[in-house]
Amino acid sequence: MAQDFVLAIDAMGGEMAPHAPISGAALAGERHSALKFLFVGDQGVIEKERKKHPSLRGNSEILHAPDQVPEDARPSVALRRGRETSMFRTIELVAEGHSSAAISGGNTGALMAMARRGLKAMEGVHRPAIAGLIPSAKDPVVLLDLGATLQCTATNLVEFAVMGTAFAEIVRNKPEPSCALLNIGEEDIKGHEEIREAARILYETELPGPFLGFVEAHDIISGKVDVVVTDGFTGNIALKTAEGTAQLFRDQLNTTARHGARARAGALLLKPALRSLFRRFDARLHNGAVFLGLDGIAIKSHGRMDDRGFANALLVADEMVGHDFLQHVRDAVSRVKGATGATGGEMT
Amino acid sequence: MAQDFVLAIDAMGGEMAPHAPISGAALAGERHSALKFLFVGDQGVIEKERKKHPSLRGNSEILHAPDQVPEDARPSVALRRGRETSMFRTIELVAEGHSSAAISGGNTGALMAMARRGLKAMEGVHRPAIAGLIPSAKDPVVLLDLGATLQCTATNLVEFAVMGTAFAEIVRNKPEPSCALLNIGEEDIKGHEEIREAARILYETELPGPFLGFVEAHDIISGKVDVVVTDGFTGNIALKTAEGTAQLFRDQLNTTARHGARARAGALLLKPALRSLFRRFDARLHNGAVFLGLDGIAIKSHGRMDDRGFANALLVADEMVGHDFLQHVRDAVSRVKGATGATGGEMT
C-alpha cells in the first residue's frame, strides 16, 4: 500500500457501525479510486460486512482490535483502559505513520483525548479545536471550535482563526477566505475581554483573507463570512441550535404537506424544487469534523451518520492528505506566531 | 389614570419609532380596553402620530422628553448623559411609581443600564437576566439569559432558573414548567464547572416544576423543556442562530416556490397550510424580552419590530402587571435563597 492514501477507519464507531464506515468506504472508493482503507475493529464483523462490497477487496485491509469505546465513556477512562479499542488503534496507525488520517464515528471526547495523546500538539498551537461546516445562505461556513476547548484565551482564538482559514483555503478550496469572531454585537465594546483582545491581535495578523472583526450568530447563517471563530462551548451550541431549527422546519414542512388533499397536491408539485432546499441542510453533505492543532489528521464522523455521510468524512480526509494540509497549517502557524503573544496556556 | 395599568412607552426607541410604539399601543388597547399608555418622547412627533389612532385619545398621555439614546451608544455613556432621553424618562416613570412597566425598542445595553440604575436589584438576586421566547416544536420555550450577564456563576444560573420558571408559570400560564441548563452534552461530566455546580444546586432547589438537568441546544428547539437557562453570551448566540436559520429556511422556501410554473402552482396550493408554519416562526408573536432580577418591570421590544410586534410586548407587560409578577418572583427568590450559597458576586 502507498502510505499517502491509506485512511485508517474505526469500523466500530457510531450508531450504524460497521455498516456506515465500511459501506461509506466503498462509496468513497468509487469516487476516488486512489484511496486505500485500513479497517480497524473486530475482524470477523468487518469481514462479514466487507464481503457485501466487492470493490473493497482490492483497496482495503483489516487490523483486528478486540475492544471498542462505549458511547458514554468518559474520555479519561477511555484513554486509560482503551489501548485495545478500535478507536485507539486507528489513531495509533496515524501516530506511527502507517496511515495518513484517522476517521471515527465514535465518542467525540474519547477520540479527541486519544488523538491528543497519540498525535501530539502541533508546534506553536496551545489548544486543539474541532472545525465543521454549517449550512448558510451561501456556501457552507467553517465554524470552530465545536467542543474541544470550552474556555478560550485570546491566543487560542487567534490560533483557531489561523487554522480555520487554512482549512477553508486548502481543503474547502476557498481563495482568500474571510474570517470573523462570533460575538453578541458587532461593536468593539461588546463581549468577553478575551474576544476583544483576540480581535485586536487578528487585525494585525496576516491571514489568507480579510479579518472582518465581530459577527453575530445570525450572520453565520447568512453566509456573511467564510470562517467563524468562537470557543468550543459556544460553537457547539450554535451548531446544534442551527441543526435543531432546520430539523424543526423540515418536520413541520412534512406535516404541513400532508394536511389535506390541497396541501398534498401542492407538496407533490413543489417536491423537485424542495429537493435542493433540503440538500442545503443535509447533514451528510457537511459530515466530517476535523481536529485542528494536532500533528496528524483525525476526523470525527457524526455518530448517527449513514454510509453516504461517512463517505463524505473520508473525502474530507482525502482532501486534507492530498493537499498536505498539515504542512500548510504548520507554515501558517509559524508565520503568525510572533504576533500571538504568550497569554495562552500550554496544551496539557 | 389608574396606576395599575399605565404602561410607560419609549415612543422614540427602535427602527420604526414612533409608528411602531404608538400604533402598537393602539392595537394592544383594542385587545385590552383597560390598558392605559404614557408615551415618552418628542411631544410634537408623538402627537402627530397619535392623531392617526382615534382610540388613543381616551387612554394615553404624553410626557415630553427632548433627547433620545442613539442605537450605537455605549451603555455607560447613555447612562451618564442620557437623563433627558425618552428611554431614561420611561424607566424613571416606573421607578417613581407613575407607571407599572416600561417598554422600549431602543438600544438594549443602554436600556438595561438605565433599568438597573433606576429600578434597582431585586432583593436576593445578584445579577439581572433577559428572558425571551424561542420557537420550538411545541410551545415557545423561555430562554434566558439573552445578554444581560455574559459570564455567570452557579448562583447566577440558579437565580435565573428560579426567575425563568416563575415567568413561565405566571406570565406564560404554564403549570409546573420544566427547566434545564443548556450544556454541550447531557452527561454530568461535561461543560463548565459553574454549570455543573448550578445543576447540583438545582437538583436540591424547590422550583414550580421538574428540573431536568442538562439539555443540548437542539433540545431547545425540540421543545423538550419549558425553560432553558444559560449565560447571556450563549443565550444570545442560541437565539440569533435559531432566528437566522429560520430566516434562511423561509427565504429559500420563497425562492424555491418561484422556480418555474410547476413550483409556483405547488406553492399556491400549499400556501394556506404553510401559514401556520410561518406563524410558528413569526418573531412578532415572540416579541417582548423581559428584564428579570430588578425591582420593577422593564421590557425590550426588538429594534426592528413593527406595530404588531410592539403590541405583543405591551401585552406581555400587561400580563406581568396584571398577575403581580414581581411579587411572585420575590416570593420564589426568598423561598430558595438559603440553597443558593454565597458564590455569586453582588450586583454592581
Side-chain angles (χ1 to χ4, degrees):
Chain A
M1 274 188 198
Q3 188 198 306
D4 301 60
F5 286 95
V6 180
L7 304 181
I9 296 175
D10 174 3
M12 316 307 283
E15 288 178 22
M16 297 193 202
H19 167 71
I22 294 173
S23 172
L27 290 170
E30 284 164 22
R31 288 272 297 275
H32 284 212
S33 57
L35 280 173
K36 296 194 187 306
F37 309 104
L38 191 37
F39 296 116
V40 188
D42 186 292
Q43 179 136 14
V45 170
I46 294 173
E47 272 174 355
K48 196 174 159 198
E49 181 69 30
R50 191 173 63 158
K51 274 198 189 120
K52 301 174 189 164
H53 305 279
S55 69
L56 289 173
R57 191 156 296 275
N59 62 359
S60 70
E61 292 185 9
I62 298 173
L63 177 71
H64 180 66
D67 292 349
Q68 47 185 55
V69 174
E71 188 43 48
D72 59 353
R74 288 183 183 234
S76 57
V77 175
L79 196 58
R80 222 163 38 235
R81 302 190 198 150
R83 299 189 63 92
E84 302 294 314
T85 59
S86 57
M87 187 186 280
F88 190 90
R89 287 286 166 83
T90 303
I91 292 290
E92 209 172 41
L93 283 167
V94 177
E96 294 175 353
H98 301 298
S99 296
S100 299
I103 302 94
S104 173
N107 178 328
T108 309
L111 185 63
M112 177 51 90
M114 289 175 176
R116 288 176 66 183
R117 170 72 59 87
L119 306 179
K120 310 291 182 200
M122 180 178 280
E123 200 185 320
V125 181
H126 294 81
R127 294 276 312 173
I130 302 173
L133 298 176
I134 186 166
S136 91
K138 300 172 188 167
D139 287 336
V141 168
V142 176
L143 179 66
L144 73 165
D145 171 29
L146 299 179
T149 304
L150 302 193
Q151 283 168 305
C152 287
T153 64
T155 301
N156 298 149
L157 294 170
V158 169
E159 291 170 1
F160 294 176
V162 172
M163 298 190 292
T165 50
F167 178 75
E169 187 186 23
I170 306 301
V171 182
R172 297 290 303 166
N173 200 19
K174 173 75 79 177
E176 302 185 19
S178 60
C179 171
L181 290 163
L182 187 59
N183 203 343
I184 63 169
E186 293 187 17
E187 307 92 37
D188 289 343
I189 53 171
K190 289 190 177 169
H192 303 170
E193 176 51 36
E194 303 81 51
I195 304 177
R196 286 178 286 168
E197 172 67 13
R200 280 190 289 270
I201 298 171
L202 284 168
Y203 277 119
E204 307 294 321
T205 301
E206 195 194 319
L207 294 169
F211 173 64
L212 303 182
F214 299 136
V215 290
E216 294 193 64
H218 50 79
D219 296 320
I220 308 174
I221 313 298
S222 72
K224 189 178 179 178
V225 61
D226 300 316
V227 179
V228 176
V229 175
T230 187
D231 66 82
F233 189 86
T234 309
N236 191 288
I237 299 289
L239 179 67
K240 287 182 178 159
T241 304
E243 285 176 352
T245 307
Q247 184 64 43
L248 172 58
F249 230 108
R250 204 158 31 208
D251 291 347
Q252 294 284 323
L253 202 55
N254 280 330
T255 308
T256 298
R258 282 193 299 269
H259 228 267
R262 186 188 158 130
R264 276 198 300 277
L268 206 64
L269 288 167
L270 256 183
K271 209 171 180 181
L274 282 177
R275 214 166 278 148
S276 77
L277 169 61
F278 285 148
R279 202 177 147 81
R280 186 184 291 271
F281 287 96
D282 187 342
R284 295 179 298 187
L285 300 178
H286 308 126
N287 189 39
V290 302
F291 289 7
L292 299 175
L294 304 176
D295 233 351
I297 296 174
I299 294 183
K300 170 68 168 77
S301 172
H302 195 292
R304 282 191 291 272
M305 219 27 89
D306 66 6
D307 53 349
R308 279 190 57 203
F310 204 96
N312 263 304
L314 295 173
L315 294 172
V316 172
D318 178 39
E319 288 288 320
M320 294 177 81
V321 177
H323 289 96
D324 200 1
F325 175 68
L326 286 183
Q327 192 54 47
H328 279 281
V329 180
R330 281 188 205 102
D331 292 348
V333 168
S334 73
R335 258 201 311 279
V336 303
K337 222 193 150 187
T340 59
T343 54
E346 284 301 313
M347 198 179 278
T348 50
Chain B
M1 272 186 198
Q3 189 197 305
D4 303 60
F5 287 96
V6 180
L7 304 181
I9 296 174
D10 174 4
M12 316 307 284
E15 287 178 25
M16 298 193 200
H19 167 71
I22 295 173
S23 171
L27 290 170
E30 284 165 21
R31 289 273 295 274
H32 285 212
S33 57
L35 281 173
K36 297 195 186 306
F37 309 105
L38 191 37
F39 296 115
V40 187
D42 185 294
Q43 180 135 16
V45 170
I46 295 172
E47 272 173 356
K48 196 175 160 197
E49 180 69 28
R50 192 173 62 158
K51 275 199 188 118
K52 300 174 190 166
H53 306 279
S55 68
L56 290 172
R57 192 155 295 274
N59 63 359
S60 71
E61 291 184 9
I62 299 172
L63 178 72
H64 180 66
D67 292 350
Q68 44 183 306
V69 174
E71 190 41 49
D72 59 352
R74 288 182 183 233
S76 57
V77 175
L79 195 58
R80 223 165 33 239
R81 301 190 199 150
R83 299 189 62 90
E84 303 294 314
T85 58
S86 57
M87 186 187 279
F88 191 90
R89 289 286 168 84
T90 303
I91 292 289
E92 210 171 39
L93 283 166
V94 177
E96 294 174 352
H98 300 300
S99 297
S100 299
I103 301 94
S104 173
N107 177 327
T108 309
L111 185 64
M112 179 50 93
M114 288 176 178
R116 288 176 65 183
R117 171 72 58 87
L119 305 178
K120 310 293 182 198
M122 181 177 281
E123 200 185 320
V125 181
H126 294 81
R127 293 276 313 173
I130 302 174
L133 298 176
I134 186 165
S136 92
K138 300 172 187 167
D139 287 335
V141 169
V142 176
L143 179 66
L144 74 166
D145 173 29
L146 299 178
T149 303
L150 302 193
Q151 283 168 306
C152 287
T153 64
T155 301
N156 298 149
L157 294 170
V158 170
E159 291 170 1
F160 294 176
V162 172
M163 299 191 291
T165 50
F167 178 75
E169 187 186 23
I170 307 302
V171 182
R172 296 290 302 166
N173 199 18
K174 174 74 82 178
E176 302 185 19
S178 60
C179 171
L181 290 162
L182 187 59
N183 203 343
I184 62 169
E186 292 186 18
E187 307 92 40
D188 290 343
I189 52 171
K190 290 189 178 169
H192 304 170
E193 175 52 35
E194 304 80 51
I195 304 178
R196 286 178 287 168
E197 172 67 13
R200 280 191 290 270
I201 299 172
L202 284 168
Y203 277 120
E204 307 294 322
T205 301
E206 196 195 319
L207 295 170
F211 174 64
L212 302 183
F214 299 136
V215 289
E216 294 192 66
H218 49 79
D219 296 320
I220 308 174
I221 311 300
S222 71
K224 189 178 178 177
V225 62
D226 300 315
V227 179
V228 175
V229 175
T230 187
D231 66 82
F233 189 86
T234 309
N236 190 289
I237 298 290
L239 179 67
K240 286 181 178 161
T241 304
E243 286 176 352
T245 307
Q247 184 65 43
L248 172 59
F249 230 107
R250 204 158 32 211
D251 291 348
Q252 294 283 325
L253 202 55
N254 281 329
T255 308
T256 298
R258 283 194 297 271
H259 228 266
R262 184 186 158 132
R264 275 198 300 276
L268 206 63
L269 288 167
L270 256 184
K271 207 171 182 183
L274 281 176
R275 214 167 279 149
S276 76
L277 170 59
F278 285 148
R279 200 177 149 82
R280 186 185 291 272
F281 286 96
D282 187 342
R284 294 179 299 187
L285 301 177
H286 308 125
N287 189 38
V290 303
F291 290 7
L292 298 176
L294 304 177
D295 233 350
I297 296 173
I299 294 183
K300 169 71 167 78
S301 172
H302 195 292
R304 282 191 289 274
M305 219 25 90
D306 67 5
D307 53 349
R308 280 188 58 200
F310 203 96
N312 263 303
L314 295 174
L315 293 173
V316 172
D318 178 40
E319 288 288 320
M320 294 176 83
V321 178
H323 290 96
D324 200 2
F325 174 69
L326 285 183
Q327 193 54 47
H328 280 281
V329 181
R330 281 188 206 103
D331 293 347
V333 169
S334 72
R335 258 201 313 278
V336 304
K337 222 192 148 186
T340 59
T343 53
E346 283 302 311
M347 197 180 277
T348 49

